Amino acid sequence: MSPSLFTSESVTEGHPDKVADQISDAVVDAVLAEDPEARVACETLLAASAFMVAGEIALSAEPPDVPRLVESVLTEVGYDPGLYAADGAGRVALASQSREIAAGVDGGGAGDQGMMFGYACDETPSLIPAPIAAAHALAFRLAEVRKSGAIGWLRPDGKSQVTYEYEGGRPVRIATVVVSAQHAAEHLGRPLSQAEIRDELIAEVVEPTLPPAHFDPECTVVHVNPSGSFVLGGPAADAGLTGRKVIVDTYGGMGRHGGGAFSGKDATKVDRSGAYAARWAAKNLVAAGAASRAEVRLAYAIGRPDPVQIWVDSFGTGALPDGKLSGGVAEVFDFTPQAIIRDLGLGGPVFRCTAAYGHFGRTPRTVEREGRALSLFAWERTDRADDLGTALGL
């Protein structure tokens, strides 16, 4: 087979769209911390020195202090929240959830119709595609060296992009890397040169992060801030909006994405919970040795608990025909919204951490918050691999 190329991108937590995602998920977490049965679906818009948080909400407690959450997220990311503190700078429009939608969800049904995809492959230990794994690692490293002070002139906004060369369907070499990083105009009392920015980012971000087996400093093309100076960034430079980075959130374009964004939605919205469950099933299929690539497809009707579609595509890599794999997945996994929320622990404040650096390929863990154990990234567990192997006769 001739070599082929595949490119994926990621962005830092300071990218304006990702700031919006984090604010929306901070709202979701604040609501669920007060009322695990609450529902919320909201979007955030940031532009210059103004913000708007709008959507639907249904909870038994007091609504969250949204301006305070905006301030908290901006501070944690590394921006000055004072830009949004002036009277009239922010608007909150959270209306009550529609009674018609609530009636369907109250009975255990899906909060919306739609199709969801989960994807896994054996290209990386986390079972996500190599290009998006590398792009996320670069974006995370940008934030890491900024926050640690290792690179004192870095600022929060940034993007990464990695182009992999494939042979025989396997990633073999990183062909091109793009890193765009917001920076101060001066450092230690002198202007920063583009050559200095390039050399330090390659030494501190690119070379320590990318896998040596695939990255060759002599052969890989590396672009650093290819447009030149990048001083003005974040929401002050470009509007941010919830849900505009869904390919960054998922599989970098290699696996398909369904009809809706994730951030800002509680788990009764199957746009989010169904996509998480589909990833859980796909990852367990690959972990069980049932396929080296697997895409799990789900679809729902609003107000109905059971999916109207469960299907597996193994892209010709399956140990069994796709129909058999689909039957095994349907036997092992309960894809009703209530079961997904129960099995993956999605009824609590577990979403803010998903809003930057991808929802998939992360490390599942348990944390204690206010005396409550919360499972983070539970859909990344491979705890059903043995059950799938048994169901499939592997």
Side-chain angles (χ1 to χ4, degrees):
M1 297 179 66
S2 299
S4 63
L5 300 176
F6 198 94
T7 301
S8 294
E9 72 159 349
S10 184
V11 297
T12 67
E13 63 207 63
H15 186 282
D17 292 332
K18 276 290 144 208
V19 177
D21 283 343
Q22 290 170 86
I23 291 170
S24 293
D25 274 339
V27 173
V28 174
D29 278 1
V31 168
L32 293 177
E34 294 297 322
D35 180 4
E37 302 299 320
R39 293 163 199 155
V40 58
C42 70
E43 282 74 43
T44 299
L45 169 66
L46 295 159
S49 59
F51 73 86
M52 181 173 187
V53 177
E56 62 176 28
I57 190 169
L59 75 163
S60 59
E62 287 293 315
D65 184 344
V66 173
R68 184 189 63 79
L69 292 175
V70 172
E71 178 181 353
S72 175
V73 170
L74 289 167
T75 301
E76 289 178 29
V77 169
Y79 291 121
D80 177 8
L83 291 173
Y84 302 90
D87 290 341
R91 182 180 176 191
V92 179
L94 292 173
S96 297
Q97 185 179 54
S98 159
R99 291 182 179 179
E100 289 89 347
I101 294 175
V105 177
D106 289 343
D112 204 349
Q113 70 175 45
M115 68 286 188
M116 299 87 215
F117 298 91
Y119 182 83
C121 62
D122 62 1
E123 293 180 9
T124 62
S126 59
L127 304 186
I128 62 170
I132 189 64
H136 281 326
L138 287 172
F140 185 81
R141 178 66 177 166
L142 280 173
E144 187 176 50
V145 296
R146 172 178 62 87
K147 292 177 178 179
S148 71
I151 301 182
W153 44 260
L154 268 179
R155 297 298 180 261
D157 200 354
K159 302 177 79 171
S160 61
Q161 184 173 286
V162 177
T163 300
Y164 253 92
E165 183 176 303
Y166 281 72
E167 291 183 0
R170 305 297 300 179
V172 296
R173 186 177 76 87
I174 296 175
T176 307
V177 173
V178 182
V179 174
S180 295
Q182 184 190 10
H183 58 86
E186 296 183 349
H187 185 58
L188 300 178
R190 58 181 177 79
L192 276 167
S193 71
Q194 293 302 304
E196 181 181 359
I197 291 169
R198 173 184 170 83
D199 290 346
E200 194 159 357
L201 287 180
I202 289 175
E204 295 293 334
V205 175
V206 176
E207 291 184 349
T209 301
L210 297 177
H214 294 158
F215 174 71
D216 183 347
E218 299 299 321
C219 299
T220 300
V221 177
V222 180
H223 298 286
V224 174
N225 285 9
S227 68
S229 179
F230 184 6
V231 173
L232 185 61
D238 191 10
L241 184 65
T242 299
R244 249 191 336 205
K245 287 291 178 284
V246 293
I247 301 305
V248 171
D249 287 341
T250 53
Y251 308 103
M254 190 169 290
R256 280 175 282 199
H257 179 74
F262 301 154
S263 289
K265 298 173 182 176
D266 75 89
T268 64
K269 297 291 189 182
V270 285
D271 282 339
R272 181 169 220 161
S273 56
Y276 289 172
R279 161 64 178 174
W280 185 31
K283 187 172 184 179
N284 276 269
L285 276 171
V286 174
S292 60
R293 291 176 64 202
E295 180 181 77
V296 175
R297 308 171 186 171
L298 303 177
Y300 291 85
I302 188 169
R304 302 286 180 165
D306 292 305
V308 300
Q309 172 187 293
I310 302 172
W311 189 256
V312 174
D313 187 344
S314 66
F315 307 96
T317 70
L320 297 169
D322 289 348
K324 293 285 188 182
L325 297 178
S326 302
V329 165
E331 178 182 336
V332 171
F333 292 90
D334 185 342
F335 290 118
T336 61
Q338 288 186 337
I340 296 171
I341 293 170
R342 177 197 68 214
D343 294 342
L344 297 182
L346 302 182
V350 298
F351 298 114
R352 168 77 198 297
C353 62
T354 68
Y357 311 114
H359 294 243
F360 308 123
R362 309 290 289 274
T363 301
R365 61 187 187 274
T366 301
V367 298
E368 293 285 338
R369 290 181 184 163
E370 299 181 356
R372 183 180 180 185
L374 300 174
S375 295
L376 306 182
F377 301 103
W379 51 91
E380 291 296 310
R381 300 184 312 225
T382 53
D383 53 343
R384 298 287 177 90
D386 288 345
D387 292 339
L388 273 173
T390 299
L392 296 169
L394 298 177

